[in-house]
Amino acid sequence: MPPHCHPLPAALPLPAKFNDPFCYEPHPLCLMAAEELQAYIAGDGRLRAEADKGKMFGVLVVEAADGRTGYLAAFSGLLGGTNDHAFFVPPVFDATAPDGYFKTHEAEISAVNRLIDSLQRSDGYLAARQELAEMRERHREALDAYRRLMAQAKLKREARRHGPQPLPPEDEAAMTRESQFMKAEYKRLKRRCADEEAPVEAKAEAYAREISALKARRRQMSDGLQHWLFSQYSMLNARGERRDLCDIFAATPQRVPPAGAGDCCAPKLLQHAYLNGMRPVCMAEFWWGASPVGEVRHHLHYYPACRGKCLPILGHMLQGLEVEKGDYEAAVSRPLEIVYEDEWLAVVCKPAGMKSVPGKGGGTSVLEEMRLRRPDRPQAVPVHRLDMDTSGLLVVALDTETYKKLQAQFLRREVSKRYVALLDGVPRRPTCGEISLPISPDPLDRPYQKVDFSGGKEALTEYRILETKGNMTRVALFPRTGRTHQLRLHCAHAAGLAAPIIGDRLYGRGGGRLCLHAEALEFTHPVTGRRMKFERRAEF
């Protein structure tokens, strides 16, 4: 077998097309390869200790030139600080060599970092800054005191001017001279303060300029080294064509590769297969160990390739292969159920698989269906949204004024919503309670969201456990905020219910429909003022 290729029995037929790395159910051959890899990890004490901290692993089933079937294994990034693991394919480019170009220039950048830190902590710089700060404070107090003195003098002058007796001209002239003198004296005081500060400021500025110049040099060195590093990643595709990462990412919105690009499982696996004349057959990635802070990763669950780093790279590397496109964005054939409709609004029950509004990937949407149904209402638009994979009740405004009034109710949190979900697991929490975990998008792996305590937006969900059967739980969810994927993330995250929703391809195991349904909706009719209540039970 070719290097790093582990044999697989040829009993199972090979798939006709390579699976879509961003949407797939693992092929039985991938499951077989993954089980062997998992056994290998579990049986190596040192390797397992590192993997248990949390790591993405991948397998690529390949067909060798002689027709034999095997698989390659990879991990994302480094494992235990190194790329050197005999069972796994090597990196596309190894930047860890201690005497190599990258490490040598990285050491030079580290030396500049130490110099910057040394200057910022130096006695001379700290003393100059402190002396300048104390001097400015003294001068501020002196100027404030003189301004108060000027104000008091002005009040006295105004009192004399508005007294019972008219002022003699000579007194008026004297007061004018006093005012002019005090204004001039204030300017002289400001000038004396500035003159006194100038040498101390110059001393502090000299340090600051040197630090700023070193930072600019560090930035230039770092950018140059990153560009050099990404240019070393010469990625192959099935046609034998090569493109480096700088070229691949030039056409993306960010224009430059993100940190770690090229070091995920999928690029490593495909690169090694192409270099050694192996035909890629199918691929799968699974998580091992603890979940990263803020993200949701479950031990031994399968995951799609990350979109932020891998989508542009695999767009090139898969050229020349017949790739089976994922069907999770396919249109549904079930009709949109109209639960209620009048002159101003409609309440619909959206089936799972239908978008709320048009988006990428084709397929119909609630907005399009309602505008077809009501051509007399071209302004019809959903007031809120449900994820494509979520089913349930949705309110549609049929005119702009109704939309604005309903939107205001949502913003004031006057709309009541109840969801029901089936969870893969049993939460170790009280039977009812509240989950408060702030959420922000994961910019390198959309559409994933993550728990982000530093920059996330408030996300609040109340829950009530309804029923538990075996390892499955039915739960009612009451979102008090409306963040993207809020309920899915609050269920799946370790600090939430720690049990993903069944069928959740992003935060759980995937497979089958997402068992999340908006079953109750309550709001005030914006025209009649009547409180409207609707309910549609989930089919799961």
Side-chain angles (χ1 to χ4, degrees), residues 108-120:
E108 292 173 359
I109 294 171
S110 297
V112 175
N113 271 332
R114 289 193 296 272
L115 188 53
I116 291 169
D117 186 62
S118 173
L119 282 170
Q120 288 176 330

Side-chain angles (χ1 to χ4, degrees), residues 17 27 30 45 163 166 179 187 198 200 315 319 347 379 389 448 496 501:
K17 294 182 179 180
H27 188 274
C30 282
S179 174
K187 288 181 180 178
V200 184
Q319 289 180 25
V347 175
Q379 295 171 319
D389 297 334
Y448 284 93
I501 298 172

Side-chain angles (χ1 to χ4, degrees), residues 256-435:
V256 294
D263 289 326
C264 296
C265 295
K268 285 183 176 181
L269 291 166
L270 289 169
Q271 185 82 350
H272 191 74
Y274 293 146
L275 285 171
N276 291 278
M278 293 177 271
R279 182 178 73 85
V281 173
C282 53
M283 175 190 290
E285 297 183 44
F286 64 87
W287 183 263
W288 180 291
S291 180
V293 176
E295 297 180 50
V296 176
R297 293 287 186 269
H298 299 282
H299 181 57
L300 301 186
H301 282 207
Y302 289 88
Y303 290 92
C306 67
R307 301 182 80 85
K309 295 177 185 177
C310 290
L311 186 60
I313 298 173
L314 298 188
H316 160 69
M317 297 190 80
L318 292 176
Q319 289 180 25
L321 289 182
E322 252 197 298
V323 180
E324 188 176 64
K325 287 299 175 187
D327 61 355
Y328 62 85
E329 289 187 340
V332 293
S333 58
R334 291 188 56 192
L336 182 69
E337 180 189 354
I338 307 299
V339 178
Y340 171 87
E341 188 174 13
D342 62 23
E343 184 180 345
W344 303 281
L345 60 87
V347 175
V348 304
C349 189
K350 184 184 83 66
M354 180 183 284
K355 299 180 177 73
S356 296
V357 296
K360 295 178 180 178
T364 189
S365 69
V366 172
L367 184 146
E368 291 165 307
E369 290 290 309
M370 286 305 299
R371 288 185 178 176
L372 283 173
R373 176 182 172 82
R374 296 294 301 267
D376 59 320
R377 295 288 195 223
Q379 295 171 319
V381 64
V383 182
H384 56 120
R385 297 183 186 184
L386 296 175
D387 289 347
M388 184 181 73
D389 297 334
T390 304
S391 59
L393 295 170
L394 198 66
V395 60
V396 180
L398 300 180
D399 60 70
T400 303
E401 191 59 32
T402 301
Y403 175 81
K404 289 178 180 176
K405 289 177 179 177
L406 286 169
Q407 268 276 297
Q409 289 188 47
F410 275 91
L411 290 171
R412 293 193 299 266
R413 300 186 183 179
E414 295 170 356
V415 178
S416 175
K417 292 179 285 184
R418 181 176 79 245
Y419 290 71
V420 66
L422 288 182
L423 306 185
D424 184 8
V426 179
R428 295 181 180 179
R429 270 180 167 256
T431 54
C432 59
E434 181 179 282
I435 301 164

Side-chain angles (χ1 to χ4, degrees), residues 427-447:
R428 295 181 180 179
R429 270 180 167 256
T431 54
C432 59
E434 181 179 282
I435 301 164
S436 179
L437 295 172
I439 292 173
S440 68
D442 187 338
L444 291 180
D445 203 5
R446 293 182 184 276

Side-chain angles (χ1 to χ4, degrees), residues 67-81:
R68 287 187 294 171
T69 304
Y71 74 93
L72 306 174
F75 50 83
S76 288
L78 300 174
L79 190 57

Side-chain angles (χ1 to χ4, degrees), residues 186-218:
Y186 181 73
K187 288 181 180 178
R188 286 190 287 271
L189 179 59
K190 279 184 74 175
R191 209 158 37 239
R192 287 196 298 273
C193 290
D195 289 344
E196 190 179 347
E197 289 172 12
V200 184
E201 197 171 42
K203 193 191 304 180
E205 241 343 276
Y207 280 102
R209 278 196 303 273
E210 189 175 356
I211 291 168
S212 180
L214 284 169
K215 285 182 176 179
R217 182 181 163 203
R218 178 182 64 187

